[in-house]
Amino acid sequence: LAKTTQPISMDSYEGQEVNITCSHNNIATNDYITWYQQFPSQGPRFIIQGYKTKVTNEVASLFIPADRKSSTLSLPRVSLSDTAVYYCLVGDDYNQGGKLIFGQGTELSVKP
Amino acid sequence: DGGITQSPKYLFRKEGQNVTLSCEQNLNHDAMYWYRQDPGQGLRLIYYSQIVNDFQKGDIAEGYSVSREKKESFPLTVTSAQKNPTAFYLCASRQYSNQPQHFGDGTRLSIL
């Protein structure tokens, strides 16, 4: 299972763009990259998933370089409600028997 | 609305007692998961099930047991053998391989 490395914490201000980078040097060919958001005392919520290049949805963008050894979650114009922990997961749960590994995540603090 | 329901939200266990946490989903998902989260930590996988009547141990299965008799239900029993059960327990499900996991709102277990 690919191990991921993320910053433990980040600070930002309302209205700024936030980029959280995740390193996954030993990513396998079939692995997908998935990001979740978690608020205190709640279950994680899916944000975005990708395999290569760029993926965009209504809440975020995911940038994946050609070598796929890292990925960047981009949150445009954050608000106070984006204060949460963000987890980067890398894996192919089909071939890993359904397992996915959550790391410690990045605690994002958005200030007014 | 479809989703995952965990109950109870708060649970207290006495020494030497087994307790069961409920997880029900009406998403028609095949795979279900149980995670444990300690304060300030990421999620750790306890057990997972990819199909009815089958389940596999995760990384921290000791002191826990599960059953999967119905597709929509995946209860977790915290046995007296689990010496440090105080944690936030999260249940998740997913439909197909490499599809995002959907999480419940968790059960917080404490020792009396």
CSV table of all heavy atoms in Angstrom, one decimal, chain B residues 49-109:
chain,number,residue,atom,x,y,z
B,49,SER,N,-15.6,-5.8,5.1
B,49,SER,CA,-16.4,-6.9,4.5
B,49,SER,C,-16.7,-6.4,3.0
B,49,SER,O,-17.2,-5.4,2.8
B,49,SER,CB,-17.7,-7.1,5.2
B,49,SER,OG,-18.5,-7.9,4.5
B,50,GLN,N,-16.4,-7.3,2.1
B,50,GLN,CA,-16.6,-7.0,0.7
B,50,GLN,C,-17.9,-7.6,0.2
B,50,GLN,O,-18.4,-7.3,-0.9
B,50,GLN,CB,-15.5,-7.4,-0.2
B,50,GLN,CG,-14.2,-6.7,0.1
B,50,GLN,CD,-13.1,-6.9,-0.9
B,50,GLN,OE1,-13.1,-6.2,-1.9
B,50,GLN,NE2,-12.2,-7.9,-0.7
B,51,ILE,N,-18.4,-8.6,1.0
B,51,ILE,CA,-19.6,-9.3,0.5
B,51,ILE,C,-20.3,-9.9,1.8
B,51,ILE,O,-19.6,-10.2,2.8
B,51,ILE,CB,-19.2,-10.4,-0.5
B,51,ILE,CG1,-20.5,-10.9,-1.3
B,51,ILE,CG2,-18.5,-11.5,0.1
B,51,ILE,CD1,-20.1,-11.7,-2.5
B,52,VAL,N,-21.5,-10.2,1.7
B,52,VAL,CA,-22.3,-10.8,2.8
B,52,VAL,C,-21.6,-12.1,3.2
B,52,VAL,O,-21.1,-12.9,2.3
B,52,VAL,CB,-23.7,-11.0,2.4
B,52,VAL,CG1,-24.5,-11.8,3.5
B,52,VAL,CG2,-24.4,-9.7,2.1
B,53,ASN,N,-21.6,-12.4,4.5
B,53,ASN,CA,-21.0,-13.6,5.1
B,53,ASN,C,-19.5,-13.7,4.9
B,53,ASN,O,-19.0,-14.8,5.0
B,53,ASN,CB,-21.7,-14.8,4.5
B,53,ASN,CG,-23.2,-14.9,5.0
B,53,ASN,OD1,-23.5,-14.6,6.1
B,53,ASN,ND2,-24.1,-15.4,4.1
B,54,ASP,N,-18.9,-12.6,4.6
B,54,ASP,CA,-17.4,-12.7,4.5
B,54,ASP,C,-16.8,-11.4,5.0
B,54,ASP,O,-17.4,-10.3,4.8
B,54,ASP,CB,-17.0,-12.9,3.1
B,54,ASP,CG,-15.5,-13.1,2.9
B,54,ASP,OD1,-14.9,-13.8,3.8
B,54,ASP,OD2,-14.9,-12.5,2.0
B,55,PHE,N,-15.7,-11.4,5.8
B,55,PHE,CA,-15.1,-10.2,6.3
B,55,PHE,C,-13.6,-10.5,6.6
B,55,PHE,O,-13.2,-11.7,6.7
B,55,PHE,CB,-15.8,-9.7,7.6
B,55,PHE,CG,-16.0,-10.7,8.6
B,55,PHE,CD1,-15.0,-11.1,9.5
B,55,PHE,CD2,-17.3,-11.3,8.7
B,55,PHE,CE1,-15.3,-12.0,10.5
B,55,PHE,CE2,-17.5,-12.3,9.7
B,55,PHE,CZ,-16.5,-12.6,10.6
B,56,GLN,N,-12.8,-9.5,6.6
B,56,GLN,CA,-11.4,-9.6,6.8
B,56,GLN,C,-10.9,-8.7,7.9
B,56,GLN,O,-11.5,-7.6,8.1
B,56,GLN,CB,-10.6,-9.2,5.5
B,56,GLN,CG,-10.7,-10.3,4.4
B,56,GLN,CD,-12.0,-10.1,3.6
B,56,GLN,OE1,-12.5,-9.0,3.4
B,56,GLN,NE2,-12.6,-11.3,3.3
B,57,LYS,N,-9.9,-9.1,8.6
B,57,LYS,CA,-9.3,-8.2,9.6
B,57,LYS,C,-8.5,-7.1,8.9
B,57,LYS,O,-7.9,-7.2,7.9
B,57,LYS,CB,-8.3,-9.0,10.4
B,57,LYS,CG,-9.0,-10.1,11.3
B,57,LYS,CD,-7.9,-10.8,12.1
B,57,LYS,CE,-8.6,-11.9,13.0
B,57,LYS,NZ,-7.6,-12.6,13.9
B,58,GLY,N,-8.6,-5.9,9.6
B,58,GLY,CA,-7.8,-4.8,9.2
B,58,GLY,C,-6.5,-4.8,10.0
B,58,GLY,O,-6.0,-5.8,10.5
B,59,ASP,N,-6.1,-3.6,10.3
B,59,ASP,CA,-4.8,-3.4,11.0
B,59,ASP,C,-4.8,-3.6,12.5
B,59,ASP,O,-3.8,-3.8,13.2
B,59,ASP,CB,-4.2,-2.1,10.6
B,59,ASP,CG,-3.9,-1.9,9.1
B,59,ASP,OD1,-3.4,-2.9,8.5
B,59,ASP,OD2,-4.3,-0.9,8.6
B,60,ILE,N,-6.0,-3.4,13.1
B,60,ILE,CA,-6.1,-3.4,14.6
B,60,ILE,C,-7.4,-4.2,15.0
B,60,ILE,O,-8.2,-3.8,15.8
B,60,ILE,CB,-6.2,-2.0,15.1
B,60,ILE,CG1,-7.4,-1.2,14.5
B,60,ILE,CG2,-4.9,-1.2,14.9
B,60,ILE,CD1,-7.7,0.1,15.2
B,61,ALA,N,-7.5,-5.4,14.5
B,61,ALA,CA,-8.7,-6.2,14.8
B,61,ALA,C,-8.7,-6.8,16.2
B,61,ALA,O,-9.8,-7.3,16.6
B,61,ALA,CB,-8.8,-7.3,13.7
B,62,GLU,N,-7.6,-6.9,16.9
B,62,GLU,CA,-7.6,-7.6,18.2
B,62,GLU,C,-8.5,-6.9,19.1
B,62,GLU,O,-8.5,-5.7,19.3
B,62,GLU,CB,-6.2,-7.6,18.7
B,62,GLU,CG,-6.1,-8.4,20.0
B,62,GLU,CD,-4.6,-8.6,20.5
B,62,GLU,OE1,-3.7,-8.2,19.7
B,62,GLU,OE2,-4.5,-9.0,21.6
B,63,GLY,N,-9.4,-7.7,19.8
B,63,GLY,CA,-10.4,-7.2,20.7
B,63,GLY,C,-11.7,-6.8,20.1
B,63,GLY,O,-12.6,-6.3,20.8
B,64,TYR,N,-11.8,-7.0,18.8
B,64,TYR,CA,-13.1,-6.6,18.1
B,64,TYR,C,-13.6,-7.8,17.4
B,64,TYR,O,-12.8,-8.7,17.0
B,64,TYR,CB,-12.8,-5.5,17.1
B,64,TYR,CG,-12.3,-4.2,17.7
B,64,TYR,CD1,-10.9,-3.9,17.7
B,64,TYR,CD2,-13.2,-3.3,18.2
B,64,TYR,CE1,-10.4,-2.8,18.2
B,64,TYR,CE2,-12.7,-2.1,18.7
B,64,TYR,CZ,-11.3,-1.8,18.7
B,64,TYR,OH,-10.8,-0.7,19.2
B,65,SER,N,-14.9,-7.9,17.1
B,65,SER,CA,-15.5,-8.9,16.3
B,65,SER,C,-16.6,-8.2,15.5
B,65,SER,O,-17.2,-7.2,15.8
B,65,SER,CB,-16.0,-10.1,17.1
B,65,SER,OG,-17.1,-9.7,17.9
B,66,VAL,N,-16.9,-8.8,14.3
B,66,VAL,CA,-17.9,-8.3,13.4
B,66,VAL,C,-18.7,-9.5,12.8
B,66,VAL,O,-18.4,-10.7,13.0
B,66,VAL,CB,-17.4,-7.5,12.2
B,66,VAL,CG1,-16.7,-6.2,12.7
B,66,VAL,CG2,-16.4,-8.4,11.4
B,67,SER,N,-19.9,-9.2,12.2
B,67,SER,CA,-20.6,-10.1,11.5
B,67,SER,C,-21.2,-9.4,10.3
B,67,SER,O,-21.4,-8.2,10.3
B,67,SER,CB,-21.8,-10.7,12.3
B,67,SER,OG,-22.7,-9.7,12.7
B,68,ARG,N,-21.5,-10.2,9.2
B,68,ARG,CA,-22.1,-9.6,8.0
B,68,ARG,C,-23.2,-10.6,7.5
B,68,ARG,O,-23.0,-11.2,6.5
B,68,ARG,CB,-21.1,-9.3,7.0
B,68,ARG,CG,-21.6,-8.5,5.8
B,68,ARG,CD,-21.7,-7.1,5.9
B,68,ARG,NE,-22.3,-6.3,4.9
B,68,ARG,CZ,-21.8,-6.0,3.7
B,68,ARG,NH1,-20.5,-6.3,3.5
B,68,ARG,NH2,-22.5,-5.3,2.9
B,69,GLU,N,-24.3,-10.6,8.2
B,69,GLU,CA,-25.4,-11.5,7.8
B,69,GLU,C,-26.3,-10.9,6.8
B,69,GLU,O,-27.0,-11.7,6.1
B,69,GLU,CB,-26.1,-11.9,9.1
B,69,GLU,CG,-25.3,-12.7,10.1
B,69,GLU,CD,-26.0,-13.0,11.4
B,69,GLU,OE1,-27.2,-12.7,11.4
B,69,GLU,OE2,-25.4,-13.6,12.3
B,70,LYS,N,-26.3,-9.6,6.7
B,70,LYS,CA,-27.2,-8.9,5.7
B,70,LYS,C,-26.3,-7.9,5.0
B,70,LYS,O,-25.4,-7.3,5.6
B,70,LYS,CB,-28.4,-8.3,6.4
B,70,LYS,CG,-29.3,-9.2,7.1
B,70,LYS,CD,-30.5,-8.5,7.7
B,70,LYS,CE,-30.1,-7.4,8.7
B,70,LYS,NZ,-31.3,-6.8,9.3
B,71,LYS,N,-26.7,-7.6,3.8
B,71,LYS,CA,-25.9,-6.6,3.0
B,71,LYS,C,-25.9,-5.3,3.7
B,71,LYS,O,-24.9,-4.5,3.6
B,71,LYS,CB,-26.5,-6.5,1.6
B,71,LYS,CG,-25.7,-5.7,0.6
B,71,LYS,CD,-26.3,-5.8,-0.8
B,71,LYS,CE,-25.5,-5.1,-1.8
B,71,LYS,NZ,-26.1,-5.1,-3.1
B,72,GLU,N,-27.0,-4.9,4.3
B,72,GLU,CA,-27.2,-3.5,4.8
B,72,GLU,C,-26.6,-3.3,6.2
B,72,GLU,O,-26.6,-2.2,6.7
B,72,GLU,CB,-28.6,-3.1,4.7
B,72,GLU,CG,-29.6,-4.0,5.5
B,72,GLU,CD,-30.2,-5.1,4.7
B,72,GLU,OE1,-29.5,-5.5,3.7
B,72,GLU,OE2,-31.2,-5.6,5.1
B,73,SER,N,-26.2,-4.4,6.9
B,73,SER,CA,-25.8,-4.3,8.3
B,73,SER,C,-24.4,-4.9,8.5
B,73,SER,O,-24.1,-6.0,8.0
B,73,SER,CB,-26.9,-5.0,9.1
B,73,SER,OG,-26.5,-5.0,10.5
B,74,PHE,N,-23.7,-4.2,9.4
B,74,PHE,CA,-22.3,-4.6,9.7
B,74,PHE,C,-22.0,-4.2,11.1
B,74,PHE,O,-21.2,-3.3,11.4
B,74,PHE,CB,-21.3,-4.0,8.7
B,74,PHE,CG,-19.9,-4.5,8.7
B,74,PHE,CD1,-19.7,-5.9,8.9
B,74,PHE,CD2,-18.8,-3.7,8.5
B,74,PHE,CE1,-18.4,-6.4,8.8
B,74,PHE,CE2,-17.5,-4.2,8.5
B,74,PHE,CZ,-17.3,-5.5,8.7
B,75,PRO,N,-22.5,-4.9,12.1
B,75,PRO,CA,-22.3,-4.5,13.5
B,75,PRO,C,-20.9,-4.8,14.0
B,75,PRO,O,-20.3,-5.9,13.6
B,75,PRO,CB,-23.4,-5.3,14.3
B,75,PRO,CG,-23.6,-6.5,13.4
B,75,PRO,CD,-23.5,-6.0,12.0
B,76,LEU,N,-20.4,-4.0,14.9
B,76,LEU,CA,-19.1,-4.2,15.5
B,76,LEU,C,-19.2,-4.4,17.0
B,76,LEU,O,-19.9,-3.6,17.6
B,76,LEU,CB,-18.2,-2.9,15.2
B,76,LEU,CG,-16.9,-2.9,15.9
B,76,LEU,CD1,-15.9,-3.9,15.2
B,76,LEU,CD2,-16.3,-1.5,16.0
B,77,THR,N,-18.6,-5.5,17.5
B,77,THR,CA,-18.6,-5.8,18.9
B,77,THR,C,-17.3,-5.4,19.5
B,77,THR,O,-16.2,-6.0,19.0
B,77,THR,CB,-19.0,-7.2,19.2
B,77,THR,OG1,-20.4,-7.4,18.8
B,77,THR,CG2,-18.9,-7.5,20.7
B,78,VAL,N,-17.2,-4.6,20.5
B,78,VAL,CA,-16.0,-4.3,21.2
B,78,VAL,C,-16.0,-5.2,22.4
B,78,VAL,O,-16.8,-5.1,23.3
B,78,VAL,CB,-15.9,-2.8,21.6
B,78,VAL,CG1,-14.6,-2.5,22.3
B,78,VAL,CG2,-16.2,-1.9,20.4
B,79,THR,N,-15.1,-6.2,22.4
B,79,THR,CA,-15.1,-7.1,23.5
B,79,THR,C,-14.3,-6.7,24.7
B,79,THR,O,-13.5,-5.7,24.6
B,79,THR,CB,-14.5,-8.5,23.0
B,79,THR,OG1,-13.1,-8.4,22.9
B,79,THR,CG2,-15.2,-8.9,21.7
B,80,SER,N,-14.4,-7.4,25.8
B,80,SER,CA,-13.6,-7.1,27.0
B,80,SER,C,-12.1,-7.3,26.8
B,80,SER,O,-11.3,-6.8,27.6
B,80,SER,CB,-14.1,-7.9,28.2
B,80,SER,OG,-14.0,-9.3,27.9
B,81,ALA,N,-11.8,-8.0,25.7
B,81,ALA,CA,-10.3,-8.1,25.4
B,81,ALA,C,-9.7,-6.9,24.9
B,81,ALA,O,-8.5,-6.8,24.9
B,81,ALA,CB,-10.2,-9.3,24.4
B,82,GLN,N,-10.5,-5.9,24.5
B,82,GLN,CA,-10.0,-4.7,24.0
B,82,GLN,C,-9.8,-3.8,25.2
B,82,GLN,O,-10.7,-3.2,25.7
B,82,GLN,CB,-11.0,-4.0,23.0
B,82,GLN,CG,-10.6,-2.6,22.5
B,82,GLN,CD,-9.2,-2.4,22.0
B,82,GLN,OE1,-8.4,-1.7,22.7
B,82,GLN,NE2,-8.8,-3.1,21.0
B,83,LYS,N,-8.5,-3.6,25.6
B,83,LYS,CA,-8.2,-3.0,26.8
B,83,LYS,C,-8.2,-1.4,26.8
B,83,LYS,O,-8.3,-0.8,27.8
B,83,LYS,CB,-6.8,-3.4,27.3
B,83,LYS,CG,-6.7,-4.9,27.6
B,83,LYS,CD,-7.7,-5.4,28.5
B,83,LYS,CE,-7.7,-6.9,28.8
B,83,LYS,NZ,-8.8,-7.3,29.6
B,84,ASN,N,-8.2,-0.9,25.6
B,84,ASN,CA,-8.3,0.6,25.4
B,84,ASN,C,-9.3,0.9,24.4
B,84,ASN,O,-9.0,1.4,23.3
B,84,ASN,CB,-6.9,1.1,25.0
B,84,ASN,CG,-6.9,2.6,25.0
B,84,ASN,OD1,-7.7,3.3,25.6
B,84,ASN,ND2,-5.9,3.2,24.2
B,85,PRO,N,-10.6,0.7,24.7
B,85,PRO,CA,-11.6,0.9,23.7
B,85,PRO,C,-12.1,2.4,23.5
B,85,PRO,O,-12.8,2.6,22.6
B,85,PRO,CB,-12.8,0.1,24.2
B,85,PRO,CG,-12.6,0.2,25.7
B,85,PRO,CD,-11.1,0.2,26.0
B,86,THR,N,-11.7,3.3,24.4
B,86,THR,CA,-12.1,4.6,24.3
B,86,THR,C,-11.7,5.3,23.0
B,86,THR,O,-10.5,5.4,22.7
B,86,THR,CB,-11.6,5.5,25.4
B,86,THR,OG1,-12.2,4.9,26.6
B,86,THR,CG2,-12.1,6.9,25.3
B,87,ALA,N,-12.6,5.6,22.1
B,87,ALA,CA,-12.3,6.1,20.8
B,87,ALA,C,-13.5,6.5,20.0
B,87,ALA,O,-14.7,6.3,20.5
B,87,ALA,CB,-11.5,5.1,19.9
B,88,PHE,N,-13.4,7.1,18.9
B,88,PHE,CA,-14.4,7.5,18.0
B,88,PHE,C,-14.5,6.4,16.9
B,88,PHE,O,-13.5,6.1,16.2
B,88,PHE,CB,-14.2,8.8,17.4
B,88,PHE,CG,-15.3,9.4,16.6
B,88,PHE,CD1,-16.6,9.4,17.0
B,88,PHE,CD2,-15.0,10.0,15.4
B,88,PHE,CE1,-17.6,10.0,16.3
B,88,PHE,CE2,-16.0,10.6,14.6
B,88,PHE,CZ,-17.3,10.6,15.1
B,89,TYR,N,-15.6,5.7,16.7
B,89,TYR,CA,-15.7,4.6,15.8
B,89,TYR,C,-16.5,5.0,14.6
B,89,TYR,O,-17.7,5.5,14.7
B,89,TYR,CB,-16.3,3.4,16.4
B,89,TYR,CG,-15.4,2.8,17.5
B,89,TYR,CD1,-15.4,3.2,18.8
B,89,TYR,CD2,-14.5,1.7,17.1
B,89,TYR,CE1,-14.5,2.7,19.7
B,89,TYR,CE2,-13.7,1.2,18.0
B,89,TYR,CZ,-13.7,1.7,19.3
B,89,TYR,OH,-12.8,1.1,20.2
B,90,LEU,N,-16.0,4.8,13.4
B,90,LEU,CA,-16.6,5.2,12.1
B,90,LEU,C,-16.9,4.0,11.2
B,90,LEU,O,-16.0,3.1,11.1
B,90,LEU,CB,-15.8,6.2,11.4
B,90,LEU,CG,-15.7,7.6,12.0
B,90,LEU,CD1,-14.5,8.3,11.6
B,90,LEU,CD2,-16.9,8.4,11.7
B,91,CYS,N,-18.1,3.9,10.7
B,91,CYS,CA,-18.5,2.9,9.7
B,91,CYS,C,-18.6,3.5,8.3
B,91,CYS,O,-19.0,4.7,8.2
B,91,CYS,CB,-19.8,2.3,10.1
B,91,CYS,SG,-20.5,1.1,9.0
B,92,ALA,N,-18.2,2.8,7.3
B,92,ALA,CA,-18.2,3.3,6.0
B,92,ALA,C,-18.7,2.2,5.0
B,92,ALA,O,-18.6,1.0,5.3
B,92,ALA,CB,-16.9,3.8,5.5
B,93,SER,N,-19.1,2.6,3.8
B,93,SER,CA,-19.5,1.6,2.8
B,93,SER,C,-19.1,2.2,1.4
B,93,SER,O,-18.9,3.4,1.3
B,93,SER,CB,-21.0,1.3,2.8
B,93,SER,OG,-21.7,2.4,2.4
B,94,ARG,N,-18.9,1.3,0.5
B,94,ARG,CA,-18.7,1.8,-0.9
B,94,ARG,C,-19.4,0.8,-1.9
B,94,ARG,O,-19.6,-0.4,-1.5
B,94,ARG,CB,-17.2,1.9,-1.2
B,94,ARG,CG,-16.5,0.7,-1.2
B,94,ARG,CD,-15.3,0.7,-2.2
B,94,ARG,NE,-14.5,-0.5,-2.1
B,94,ARG,CZ,-14.8,-1.7,-2.6
B,94,ARG,NH1,-16.0,-1.9,-3.2
B,94,ARG,NH2,-14.0,-2.7,-2.5
B,95,GLN,N,-19.7,1.3,-3.1
B,95,GLN,CA,-20.4,0.5,-4.0
B,95,GLN,C,-19.5,-0.4,-4.8
B,95,GLN,O,-19.6,-1.6,-4.8
B,95,GLN,CB,-21.2,1.4,-5.0
B,95,GLN,CG,-22.1,0.6,-5.9
B,95,GLN,CD,-23.0,1.5,-6.7
B,95,GLN,OE1,-22.7,2.7,-6.8
B,95,GLN,NE2,-24.1,1.0,-7.2
B,96,TYR,N,-18.5,0.2,-5.5
B,96,TYR,CA,-17.6,-0.6,-6.4
B,96,TYR,C,-16.2,-0.3,-6.0
B,96,TYR,O,-15.9,0.7,-5.3
B,96,TYR,CB,-17.8,-0.3,-7.8
B,96,TYR,CG,-19.2,-0.4,-8.4
B,96,TYR,CD1,-19.9,0.6,-8.9
B,96,TYR,CD2,-19.8,-1.7,-8.3
B,96,TYR,CE1,-21.2,0.5,-9.3
B,96,TYR,CE2,-21.1,-1.8,-8.8
B,96,TYR,CZ,-21.8,-0.7,-9.3
B,96,TYR,OH,-23.0,-0.9,-9.8
B,97,SER,N,-15.3,-1.1,-6.4
B,97,SER,CA,-13.8,-0.9,-6.2
B,97,SER,C,-13.4,0.5,-6.7
B,97,SER,O,-13.9,0.9,-7.8
B,97,SER,CB,-13.0,-1.9,-6.9
B,97,SER,OG,-13.3,-3.2,-6.4
B,98,ASN,N,-12.6,1.1,-5.9
B,98,ASN,CA,-12.1,2.5,-6.2
B,98,ASN,C,-13.2,3.6,-6.3
B,98,ASN,O,-12.9,4.7,-6.7
B,98,ASN,CB,-11.2,2.5,-7.5
B,98,ASN,CG,-10.0,1.6,-7.3
B,98,ASN,OD1,-9.4,1.7,-6.3
B,98,ASN,ND2,-9.7,0.8,-8.3
B,99,GLN,N,-14.4,3.2,-5.8
B,99,GLN,CA,-15.4,4.3,-5.6
B,99,GLN,C,-15.2,4.9,-4.2
B,99,GLN,O,-14.7,4.2,-3.3
B,99,GLN,CB,-16.8,3.7,-5.8
B,99,GLN,CG,-17.1,3.3,-7.2
B,99,GLN,CD,-17.1,4.5,-8.1
B,99,GLN,OE1,-17.9,5.4,-7.9
B,99,GLN,NE2,-16.2,4.4,-9.2
B,100,PRO,N,-15.6,6.1,-4.0
B,100,PRO,CA,-15.4,6.7,-2.7
B,100,PRO,C,-16.2,6.0,-1.6
B,100,PRO,O,-17.2,5.5,-1.9
B,100,PRO,CB,-16.0,8.2,-2.9
B,100,PRO,CG,-15.9,8.4,-4.4
B,100,PRO,CD,-16.1,7.1,-5.0
B,101,GLN,N,-15.6,6.0,-0.4
B,101,GLN,CA,-16.3,5.5,0.7
B,101,GLN,C,-17.3,6.5,1.3
B,101,GLN,O,-16.9,7.7,1.4
B,101,GLN,CB,-15.3,5.0,1.8
B,101,GLN,CG,-14.4,3.9,1.3
B,101,GLN,CD,-13.6,3.3,2.4
B,101,GLN,OE1,-13.8,3.5,3.6
B,101,GLN,NE2,-12.5,2.6,2.0
B,102,HIS,N,-18.4,6.1,1.7
B,102,HIS,CA,-19.4,6.9,2.4
B,102,HIS,C,-19.4,6.6,3.9
B,102,HIS,O,-19.4,5.4,4.2
B,102,HIS,CB,-20.8,6.7,1.8
B,102,HIS,CG,-20.9,7.1,0.4
B,102,HIS,ND1,-21.7,8.2,0.0
B,102,HIS,CD2,-20.4,6.5,-0.7
B,102,HIS,CE1,-21.6,8.2,-1.3
B,102,HIS,NE2,-20.9,7.2,-1.8
B,103,PHE,N,-19.3,7.6,4.7
B,103,PHE,CA,-19.2,7.4,6.1
B,103,PHE,C,-20.4,7.8,6.9
B,103,PHE,O,-21.2,8.7,6.5
B,103,PHE,CB,-18.0,8.3,6.7
B,103,PHE,CG,-16.7,7.7,6.4
B,103,PHE,CD1,-16.1,7.9,5.1
B,103,PHE,CD2,-16.0,6.9,7.3
B,103,PHE,CE1,-14.8,7.4,4.8
B,103,PHE,CE2,-14.7,6.4,7.0
B,103,PHE,CZ,-14.2,6.7,5.8
B,104,GLY,N,-20.6,7.1,8.0
B,104,GLY,CA,-21.6,7.5,9.0
B,104,GLY,C,-21.1,8.6,9.9
B,104,GLY,O,-19.9,9.0,9.7
B,105,ASP,N,-21.9,9.0,10.9
B,105,ASP,CA,-21.5,10.1,11.8
B,105,ASP,C,-20.8,9.7,13.0
B,105,ASP,O,-20.4,10.4,13.9
B,105,ASP,CB,-22.7,11.0,12.1
B,105,ASP,CG,-23.1,11.8,11.0
B,105,ASP,OD1,-22.3,12.2,10.1
B,105,ASP,OD2,-24.3,12.2,10.9
B,106,GLY,N,-20.5,8.4,13.1
B,106,GLY,CA,-19.7,7.9,14.2
B,106,GLY,C,-20.4,7.6,15.5
B,106,GLY,O,-21.5,8.0,15.8
B,107,THR,N,-19.7,6.7,16.3
B,107,THR,CA,-20.1,6.4,17.7
B,107,THR,C,-18.9,6.7,18.6
B,107,THR,O,-17.8,6.2,18.3
B,107,THR,CB,-20.5,4.9,17.8
B,107,THR,OG1,-21.8,4.7,17.1
B,107,THR,CG2,-20.8,4.6,19.3
B,108,ARG,N,-19.2,7.5,19.6
B,108,ARG,CA,-18.1,7.7,20.5
B,108,ARG,C,-18.2,6.8,21.7
B,108,ARG,O,-19.2,6.9,22.5
B,108,ARG,CB,-18.1,9.2,21.0
B,108,ARG,CG,-16.8,9.6,21.7
B,108,ARG,CD,-16.7,11.1,21.8
B,108,ARG,NE,-16.7,11.8,20.6
B,108,ARG,CZ,-15.6,12.0,19.8
B,108,ARG,NH1,-14.4,11.4,20.2
B,108,ARG,NH2,-15.6,12.6,18.7
B,109,LEU,N,-17.2,6.0,22.0
B,109,LEU,CA,-17.3,5.0,23.0
B,109,LEU,C,-16.3,5.4,24.2
B,109,LEU,O,-15.2,5.8,23.9
B,109,LEU,CB,-16.8,3.6,22.5
B,109,LEU,CG,-16.7,2.5,23.5
B,109,LEU,CD1,-18.0,2.2,24.2
B,109,LEU,CD2,-16.1,1.3,22.8
